[in-house]
Amino acid sequence: SGNPLLRVNIPPDPRHNVVMISMVPAKSPTLAAVMAPTRSGGGTFQITGAGGRPYGELRNTGVGQYTLYCGSAEGLTLFFDGSTGQLFLLSSADGSQIAKANRGTDSNFFSGAEHLEVRVNPGVDAVLVLSTVLAVVLFGGNPLPSGGSPLTPSVGPRQF
């Protein structure tokens, strides 16, 4: 529709990498946040839901691969496919693809500008997918390849 639905905030914090997702109005509460312990990339990301409630951990489980754990249960797996330059999200329950992300410039909506495209299957938590994808792409040390330079985070709110 072209109307912003969500707002992403990456606050400047020298101690942590943080991605916060909320609705568009400026005073909307945070729906999800993903935090990495350092600026060095990789490792384990802490995920919280609305109101800062702990949701789970996104752990680096291999080169270009992360697994979401809620307690001891696996929820989903993210992995970079070097041959296609895409990030895939798979359900840990049955291995089915639930979302994917890629960098591109081919879009009528963005008029040739480089952008991150995230496609989420119906019935999947889009806020969880977007927050984990952004955290891994921006802070996980595995930027999605494209013809241009790696994605670099800019601090402050952005609307999507």
Side-chain angles (χ1 to χ4, degrees):
S1 71
N3 295 324
L5 301 174
L6 298 172
R7 187 168 55 99
V8 175
N9 189 19
I10 304 170
D13 184 337
R15 299 166 297 150
H16 302 286
N17 296 315
V18 181
V19 173
M20 299 177 356
I21 309 284
S22 61
M23 299 298 285
V24 170
K27 297 205 183 239
S28 294
T30 299
L31 299 173
V34 181
M35 180 174 36
T38 68
R39 294 249 179 231
S40 62
T44 299
F45 295 82
Q46 301 298 318
I47 301 173
T48 58
R53 288 183 314 242
Y55 182 81
E57 293 183 343
L58 187 63
R59 299 178 192 158
N60 185 334
T61 52
V63 176
Q65 182 169 322
Y66 294 81
T67 302
L68 173 65
Y69 290 89
C70 298
S72 62
E74 290 185 25
L76 59 89
T77 298
L78 294 85
F79 75 92
F80 289 94
D81 182 344
S83 65
T84 64
Q86 296 183 344
L87 173 64
F88 291 95
L89 288 83
L90 307 178
S91 167
S92 293
D94 62 7
S96 64
Q97 179 182 314
I98 59 172
K100 70 177 181 174
N102 64 286
R103 291 175 69 182
T105 56
D106 299 329
S107 171
N108 293 334
F109 187 76
F110 291 106
S111 303
E114 186 173 38
H115 61 278
L116 176 64
E117 182 176 320
V118 180
R119 293 182 181 240
V120 182
N121 289 356
V124 175
D125 185 341
V127 171
L128 178 62
V129 168
L130 183 60
S131 59
T132 56
V133 165
L134 287 172
V136 166
V137 169
L138 295 174
F139 305 127
N142 296 297
L144 290 173
S146 77
S149 61
L151 286 175
T152 54
S154 60
V155 295
R158 301 286 183 262
Q159 295 180 0
F160 295 92

